[in-house]
Amino acid sequence: MARDKPWIFRTYAGHSSAAASNALYRTNLAKGQTGLSVAFDLPTQTGYDSDDTLAKGEVGKVGVPVSHLGDMRTLFDQLPLDRMNTSMTINAPAMWLLALYVALADEQRVDRAKLQGTTQNDIIKEYLARGTYIFPPAPALRLTTDMIAFTTAEMPKWNPINLCSYHLQEAGADAVEEAAFALAAAVSVLDACRERGAIPPAEFPNAVGRISFFVNSGVKFITEICKLRAMAFLWDEIARERYGVTDPKLRLFRYGVQVNSLGLTEQQPENNVYRVLFGMLGVTLSKNARARAVQLPAWNEALGLPRPWDQQWSLRLQQIGAYETDILEYGDIFEGSKVIEEKVSQLKAQIREEMDRIAKFGGTATQEALEYMKERLVASNAARVEAIERGDDIRVGVNAYTETEVSPLTSGNGSFMTVDEAAEAEQIARLKQWRSMRDADAVSKTLEDLESAARSDDNLMPPSIVCAKAGVTTGEWAATLRKVFGEYRAPTGVSSTGPTRNDERIGALREEVEAASGKLGRKLTMLVAKPGLDGHSNGAEQIAMRARDAGMAVVYDGIRFSPEQIVAAARESKPHVIGLSILSGSHVPLAREVLSGLQKAGLGDIKVVAGGIIPPEDEVALKDAGISAVFSPKDYDLNQIMHVIIELATPD
């Protein structure tokens, strides 16, 4: 029988500069990668130029900096846009990056109708899990609906939004929560499109047909297969019954996947290869629920930024699965399975129930729904962490089978890549040169037109493309819209009340906290803070909850605080300990700024600890700078972390 075409092979990549990332893309494509997946750095993701004070230490760390059309030209140099399938992991400024991409295509005289790819553009999950949001929900949804209307009319092969349940699972969601929250977000987006009336009714089915999803797949691959079969069934049902789509092709559940990174371990990291393999099976074995595109994490992502060889290893896994196995030669091998059918039926009922609950809040974009979903995610993640701590959930090499030989993969030279610290200065120099060479009057005029359009009901894609062609920068585009729409701070999911747990180990911690508080003369207080632009808040949330459950007074106000704001919060709340959570790789410069600010404010006696994906050499640098303790993913027992914090805060 005929062999199916393989899915699109992607590698999520980008770092340092547009030139360095372009070289990496061309190398990966030469190795057989069939689609690009662009990772942008945090300043770009949050709408800041590389020379903004908030971007300090973050430029090029977790992705490529793109500040203007010149960066976009360099990023796609020698890559044929009319033959590429480009995925861009970009959300709050998705319209801007798409405008730059369209401007580049126009410059190269590539027909917009030929452009293929995806902008992630799922702002709901940013509020819940990933944290790279800018604007409040209403204007953020407007930007999304404008993009959908524009691409439906001019870019029929482009996916204007990728409803991204991936980060929901990373934030703790179980299969039901991941599917329900993502499907409910898709409903909110399409309802907003219909209510706005920006898409002609005759074209609305085509808009529904371009909605895509980006899911997570972990090692429990039977559950993952059933989850995806349930989502495919429910999406067909939603498209048919809610939106009246009659063409079955336009009702297809179209999704790409990133295999789970949360389950990758710093301990015995070579085991992650097997975890990635099982995750891939969950989205490739079932023909009727097979991913359209797959990107796999590298085995060493819990240690740091993967090297080209590490990414190649992940790519080879996909190629072996597609070309050497026979999974593409047969129909769906799960059809007729009673086990699969029962599990899918159960999931469908549970997902519908959860979606109905969200609908009663008025949809995912309401404050009530966001608070409800965020609290669910934090609670689910807490349950996951506790199961690992108790040993109920086995993690090989972490809480079981910890005996190990020295790994040749991690011994000797570094087992991951580091970004050259000079990359930030070089990017800023290029940015300043760009500004000096453009027509300042033209830039001012296009930004005025963008602001005027934002204050009206006009579609914002056309003026954004004009801005891109005039040389406007990422920070200027976002600042103009910030002026009109304002900014937003999402729910934290961590309430100030508690405790929520009452087991023996927590009881012992509370006794320690009470004893320490007695010596301190007031309740032991901890400020949990996330400096910089990193929005991955899972660790900070779990530390805040466990400290609260242990009886500490906890101050946690969410993500994206400057060192100056953290010092100001310390001056107000008078904590005994500050916990800095940083996963972007910018821990050393940001921690030093916080420590310096505390000294200048006369708060140098406050103990400061740090947590994140922190290599051993950076741990030494942090402790030399004055950080009292450093925690990395290998420190999975939160109660042990609490013991360390209590000891640090307790007077001798």
Side-chain angles (χ1 to χ4, degrees), residues 84-112:
M84 295 305 304
N85 190 305
T86 303
S87 172
M88 293 191 279
T89 300
I90 196 72
N91 295 280
M95 176 179 284
W96 175 241
L97 272 298
L98 182 60
L100 290 172
Y101 196 79
V102 171
L104 180 61
D106 288 352
E107 193 174 85
Q108 296 180 358
R109 298 184 180 179
V110 173
D111 186 351
R112 294 177 181 179

Side-chain angles (χ1 to χ4, degrees), residues 12 22 47 71 287 295 312 377 387 496 518 554 566:
Y12 184 53
N22 172 262
D71 285 339
K287 178 176 179 176
Q295 58 191 46
Q312 173 186 301
L377 291 178
S496 58
V554 177
I566 292 170

Side-chain angles (χ1 to χ4, degrees), residues 377-624:
L377 291 178
V378 173
S380 293
N381 202 23
R384 181 191 65 81
V385 170
E386 290 162 21
I388 295 171
E389 289 176 322
R390 291 192 304 267
D392 297 341
D393 189 350
I394 296 296
R395 288 290 190 272
V396 174
V398 176
N399 61 2
Y401 311 110
T402 55
E403 301 79 6
T404 183
E405 301 294 333
V406 176
S407 169
L409 292 175
T410 55
S411 59
N413 293 331
S415 55
F416 55 88
M417 188 174 73
T418 57
V419 174
D420 187 347
E421 293 299 325
E424 181 167 329
E426 292 168 359
Q427 170 67 11
I428 291 172
R430 286 190 295 270
L431 175 58
K432 290 181 177 178
Q433 183 182 24
W434 174 267
R435 290 199 191 105
S436 70
M437 295 172 62
R438 63 188 184 171
D439 184 335
D441 292 336
V443 168
S444 296
K445 175 65 167 61
T446 58
L447 288 173
E448 288 172 7
D449 291 344
L450 176 67
E451 181 178 348
S452 177
R455 296 188 187 281
S456 72
D457 195 41
D458 293 348
N459 190 305
L460 292 176
M461 268 300 298
S464 293
I465 295 171
V466 174
C467 283
K469 293 180 178 180
V472 167
T473 67
T474 297
E476 291 165 343
W477 179 87
T480 299
L481 296 187
R482 279 183 168 98
K483 188 169 24 171
V484 179
F485 298 145
E487 294 189 82
Y488 181 69
R489 188 163 288 283
T492 66
V494 180
S495 67
S496 58
T497 58
T500 59
R501 297 179 60 212
N502 196 29
D503 59 38
E504 184 177 337
R505 295 177 73 211
I506 286 292
L509 276 178
R510 286 190 200 124
E511 291 177 4
E512 288 185 44
V513 170
E514 288 175 7
S517 298
K519 292 181 180 179
L520 292 165
R522 60 187 177 92
K523 183 175 282 193
L524 196 163
T525 302
M526 182 177 186
L527 169 62
V528 179
K530 285 194 63 62
L533 300 177
D534 170 37
H536 291 85
S537 57
N538 301 342
E541 292 156 2
Q542 294 307 312
I543 289 293
M545 284 186 64
R546 189 61 58 88
R548 180 202 66 187
D549 292 351
M552 298 184 204
V554 177
V555 180
Y556 174 63
D557 293 321
I559 63 173
R560 300 216 306 255
F561 283 86
S562 68
E564 293 78 14
Q565 289 172 318
I566 292 170
V567 172
R571 188 182 295 112
E572 180 179 345
S573 60
K574 299 178 174 56
H576 300 98
V577 178
I578 297 175
L580 302 178
S581 172
I582 312 166
L583 276 80
S584 65
S586 301
H587 34 264
V588 173
L590 287 171
R592 282 173 175 161
E593 283 193 54
V594 171
L595 291 167
S596 174
L598 291 171
Q599 289 290 344
K600 291 176 183 176
L603 302 172
D605 58 331
I606 297 175
K607 303 293 185 181
V608 182
V609 301
I613 300 176
I614 301 174
E617 57 269 28
D618 286 354
E619 179 175 345
V620 172
L622 287 171
K623 289 182 176 178
D624 287 346

